[in-house]
Amino acid sequence: MANDAIVAIATAPGRGAIGVVRVSGPHLAPFLLALVNKVVIARHATRADFRNADGGLIDQGLVLYFPAPHSYTGEDVIELQGHGGPVVMQLLVARCVELGARLAEPGEFTKRAFLNDKLDLAQAESVADLIDATTAEAARCALRSLQGDFSRQIDAMVSDLVGLRILVEATLDFPEEELDVLDNSNTQGKLAAVREQLARVIETSRRGSLLRDGIHVVLAGQPNVGKSSLMNRLAGSARAIVTDIPGTTRDAIRETIAIQGIPLHLIDTAGLREPQDEVETIGISRTWEAISEADLVLWVSDMTRPETHDIDPTLAGRLSLGVRYLHVLNKCDLMPPSSGGGQADHVSKVHISALTGVGIEQLRNSVLDIMGWSGGSETTFMARARHMQALKSAQNHLDAALLCVGRLELFAEELTLAQRALSSITGEFTADDLLGEIFSRFCIGK
Amino acid sequence: MQFSESFDVIVVGGGHAGTEAALASARSGRRTLLLTHNVETLGQMSCNPSIGGIGKGHLVREVDALGGAMAAATDEAGIQFRILNSSKGPAVRATRAQADRLLYKHAIRTRLENRRNLLIFQQSVADLTLDGERVAGVVTELGLRFSARAVVLTTGTFLSGLIHVGLKNYQAGRAGDPPSISLALRLRELKLPVGRLKTGTPPRLDGRSIDFSKLTEQPGDTPVPVFSFMGSAAQHPAQMPCWITHTSAHTHDIIRAGLDRSPMFTGVIEGIGPRYCPSIEDKISRFADKTSHQIFLEPEGLTVNEYYPNGISTSLPFDVQCNLVHSITGLENVHITRPGYAIEYDYFDPRGLKSSLETKAIQGLFFAGQINGTTGYEEAAAQGLLAGINAARLAAGEDAWCPRRSEAYLGVLVDDLITRGVSEPYRMFTSRAEYRLSLREDNADLRLTEIGRTLGIVDDARWCRFETKRAAVSRECERLRTSWVNPRIVARHECERVVGQALEREYTLQDLLRRPAVTYETLMTLPGAGPAVGDAQVAEQVEIQAKYQGYIERQQVEINRQEAYEMTRFPAGLDYREVHGLSIEVQQKLNKHRPETLGQAARISGITPAAISLLLVHLKRGFSDAKKIA
């Protein structure tokens, strides 16, 4: 019963040498041709170049084509096997979206398989659970994506767009009310303002997206717990000066590393304590700046000094909702063997030794886990990708609106569609809600 | 006493809903009885003497396209016709007419009295007779018992109607008519979910005492528009203008001074009134910074002197009404012929209805009009038509016809009512229709007349005219699509004159017509482009279809996408508690409102896409289980 094509990354992101992007939908043959520009024999592995719209090479890999009904979902299915890095996978997904597929809803491939009688009843039992679980996960991811500035900017934009729609719809539905609202207000200027805002949100959220910029990880803790040693261990080089003297690190030191292809920006910071001099004061204030921009804070403590374990109360207070933190207990090599390294406690605590390297692999995995880059198919990144897709759809409609400023009902149509796209991010906005806004703004009623 | 004859359908009420319902049922070939408390008030316009307007005109055209009476009666009774939004695009363009009340009533009654299969009887209905959970007939105040397979209730504001003028109130169905008390009590006994709404009307004025020299005249359009697809301007009686005046700061002072005796502001009125049709006291309170409000003085007819001052609906005490009216320019010495008033009445939560307008609780019982929480003659007529069609179909053992949101405003209206309920009297606006560009006044016939023919409610004359028009439209579209304009043959200055610029290559006439600046009329003046079609309706359709093709196609894609959900019906008696994974809140909501289709469920507020997926899986599983057992 589905009549549109869906796409998603089928393999766990960030892991493995091979990654698979899967597309399902009716009549995918033209889609496939546009994607790989060669004839693909059904159910044969075919080597292909995956190119973007400009012809630039995204990746080389294998393509598999399963025509309906002999496929996982019972529809036409295409599998693109590329190199496993998340950047390549995301670019492939983006290309498929460009060609008309939409990002799959949580559990949607399985749902389609089920609806097309591809699963037996026992398997089907789990479909509802899957939808339930992935929806909950997707909701959590969407919430994370919506934290901070991104959400504020979208809210501001939606409210301006609603403001413009009120004027347009009131003019259409209440022509006899002496409103003349459109004559007295600068429609084009208002549209231009919303378009500018939208372009800005798209630009900043692109810049802020994990894919492009990686995860900002701040190493924080009391002085001399081994933050700089950990930094050097993770970076694999003596990037930061390490001494036994507390307060050696005065300024935030930055280093970019990659864990399984995902860029990580490490920021080593001055230890948090009462500053001893002016240089340290500035260093500590930069620590706070770094923390305020962080996606993840590693709170490093010295296992031999329990007084360093408790997270700084100021820091705990400053961690905004979206920022997660991980407690890294360093110097486990100095502890009795029973408290050995690498132990993880629900990924919120990792025991390591920056000196010997024990537990560092576990730490790397914990960082990815906690940032939503492993496990199921729903990640913060996917949530953000959905939001970006909605923003771009809104942008297309606002561009179209610009072309029909003089033709009011077409103008209204494009604004409505733009708002519908944004509402998929911010929540439903019904015709009744709009009328409510109109009635509260204007005195309607002869 | 049992009335000797048994009917297929009984319609209770003779307003705009009741008359369309009775006519539609009778057109369907079913033996129909129209019961009214007073034959003289059949087709009465209780409020303002006008038909149509934005969104409402769309409904009237749809009723007309299905063979209904409202547009045709308006063509015979209309004393001023205008096209609203004429410059804003065809989808939001709408016809509005002032009607002579007496001529309108006459036009409706003539149709009722000459309708085959339809009997009229004057008696108030006091009770319903039930056979288990299905309706069996009605009982009148005299104790007469009528039996029928289906009953349509169109009781307007009559159910426990309570009129307020100042702090005085009395029971009435509308000014001058008795209320329906026993029927209201009976319906409350049936445990249907009841609520109270409120509406109002302004004082009426004696035109002989209005000083028109101080007012702005608002004439009708020329050429005079026509409402019905079957109508012509030659049917219109003599035309009259409306007049425009304004309230003043002094008017507002008078109103404010009277608020302590307002039933609205002292809490005597409990029912909720419409925000888009507020009383004048409401307007000056909510928009205190506005120093003046516009008032339209609408003539009530050619043979009476009364005027309807649209914009000052009020339930203030009569002495305040007098003072406020006299403070308005041109009305300084006016004589009030009838006081304004507010009326509270019972309505039933429309979420208790199927999309056929049959109640879910009682089989064969249909509701239409204000009883469902709507307001407006046009909304009432549209529901009446639908209820009449479906009551007739139920009586004949046929499946109901339920128009979709993508097919008609009628579909939008009913779907909004049954999925979202009402929080105030519901009125149609074009912004309620997500497929607005497709649901136009001009194509109501193309959308619905063929369906109406299949339903058996469109007569031969209309069908013949429609087929001729439809064929002409498609012929002309085809001609434009296949006729090329070659810039080497057609003179450059001619192209510049018609298209606005020289042509750099060959184009079809259809391509050129799609350009915003080109109209069908001017295009046909291009050498070699003609001949133009003679029928203005055809020319209009050809032009709109060309210009809107891209948008309409895009909407069609979206409509197709939704289609599967609209087609997926829930089995009767589905217990939503058994649907795996649904939250308790969603289960309760669905068990309470019992949507008929997946599409309806998706439009209930608070039902998430994930819940729809879960329902889909549940339905599919049920089907697979059943298949396995079979």
Side-chain angles (χ1 to χ4, degrees), chain A residues 427-433, chain B residues 351 405 415-423 583-595 598-609 611-612 615:
Chain A
E428 194 187 15
F429 186 85
T430 63
D432 243 3
D433 295 333
Chain B
R351 286 174 293 192
R405 297 183 72 90
D415 188 70
D416 277 350
L417 291 176
I418 67 171
T419 61
R420 308 197 81 99
V422 297
S423 53
S583 73
I584 303 280
E585 189 201 343
V586 167
Q587 286 174 10
Q588 287 175 341
K589 229 170 221 170
L590 292 171
N591 266 332
K592 178 161 177 217
H593 297 310
R594 310 209 60 83
L598 208 53
Q600 285 174 19
R603 288 187 291 274
I604 293 173
S605 89
I607 306 298
T608 59
I612 293 302
L615 286 168

Side-chain angles (χ1 to χ4, degrees), chain B residues 327-532:
Chain B
S327 73
I328 295 169
T329 308
L331 309 183
E332 293 85 351
N333 299 307
V334 88
H335 169 67
I336 293 179
T337 54
R338 312 177 198 206
Y341 63 90
I343 180 162
E344 288 184 281
Y345 55 95
D346 283 0
Y347 81 102
F348 294 94
D349 184 345
R351 286 174 293 192
L353 298 172
K354 301 179 186 175
S355 51
S356 60
L357 296 180
E358 186 186 8
T359 59
K360 289 173 185 167
I362 298 167
Q363 216 191 331
L365 180 64
F366 293 75
F367 286 172
Q370 280 165 306
I371 191 171
N372 290 335
T374 63
T375 173
Y377 307 151
E378 304 80 357
E379 288 83 352
Q383 290 171 71
L385 175 90
L386 185 65
I389 290 170
N390 285 328
R393 295 185 69 76
L394 181 125
E398 294 163 333
D399 286 340
W401 174 62
C402 309
R404 306 252 168 82
R405 297 183 72 90
S406 55
E407 278 178 315
Y409 273 92
L410 181 48
V412 174
L413 168 68
V414 173
D415 188 70
D416 277 350
L417 291 176
I418 67 171
T419 61
R420 308 197 81 99
V422 297
S423 53
E424 66 184 316
Y426 179 101
R427 187 199 137 166
M428 186 47 74
F429 299 106
T430 66
S431 51
R432 296 194 192 274
E434 57 273 54
Y435 307 116
R436 174 161 68 189
L437 297 179
S438 307
L439 305 184
R440 305 183 307 270
E441 264 198 6
D442 65 73
N443 71 354
D445 55 344
L446 292 165
R447 290 185 277 120
L448 297 171
T449 297
E450 186 165 11
I451 295 171
R453 182 69 175 177
T454 313
L455 294 170
I457 51 172
V458 164
D459 62 19
D460 291 344
R462 183 181 294 271
W463 179 242
C464 183
R465 181 125 156 206
F466 168 74
E467 275 199 309
T468 308
K469 174 184 166 185
R470 186 167 62 174
V473 170
S474 85
R475 228 177 9 249
E476 181 66 355
C477 285
E478 184 60 18
R479 186 179 76 84
L480 297 190
R481 207 173 58 76
T482 52
S483 305
W484 293 81
V485 179
N486 189 326
R488 280 178 304 198
I489 296 169
V490 180
R492 184 189 170 93
H493 72 273
E494 289 286 355
C495 293
E496 284 174 345
R497 176 180 61 82
V498 171
V499 184
Q501 63 188 77
L503 300 181
E504 73 285 6
R505 62 169 176 88
E506 269 193 293
Y507 284 100
T508 65
L509 288 171
Q510 191 191 39
D511 290 335
L512 296 179
L513 188 53
R514 278 204 199 122
R515 301 187 177 202
V518 179
T519 65
Y520 180 79
E521 199 183 340
T522 55
L523 183 65
M524 287 301 108
T525 65
L526 197 67

Side-chain angles (χ1 to χ4, degrees), chain A residues 9 13-14 58 83-95 103 204-216 256-265 295 368 371-373 379-386 388 392:
Chain A
I9 301 171
I58 299 170
H83 297 94
V87 178
V88 165
M89 291 293 103
Q90 291 304 336
L91 288 173
L92 283 178
V93 168
R95 177 65 185 139
L103 293 173
T204 47
S205 86
R206 225 184 242 146
R207 228 187 299 131
S209 85
L210 299 181
L211 181 63
R212 201 84 174 272
D213 231 20
I215 306 169
H216 290 261
T256 300
I257 62 163
I259 301 180
Q260 292 174 12
I262 297 169
L264 236 67
H265 302 290
D295 297 306
L368 287 190
M371 293 311 293
W373 277 92
T379 60
T380 310
F381 184 85
M382 281 303 285
R384 182 58 66 95
R386 269 184 233 292
M388 290 294 285
K392 281 184 190 146

Side-chain angles (χ1 to χ4, degrees), chain A residues 443, chain B residues 246-259 280-281 283-285 287-295 311-312 316 320 323-325 327-328:
Chain A
C443 184
Chain B
H246 289 85
T247 61
S248 65
H250 181 47
T251 315
H252 298 189
D253 289 341
I254 293 166
I255 293 166
R256 267 187 280 270
L259 287 183
I280 185 67
E281 52 267 35
K283 284 196 268 192
I284 67 144
S285 303
F287 296 90
D289 53 333
K290 221 172 163 209
T291 52
S292 173
H293 293 277
Q294 182 175 252
I295 299 164
I312 53 167
L316 287 165
V320 183
N323 291 337
L324 89 85
V325 166
S327 73
I328 295 169

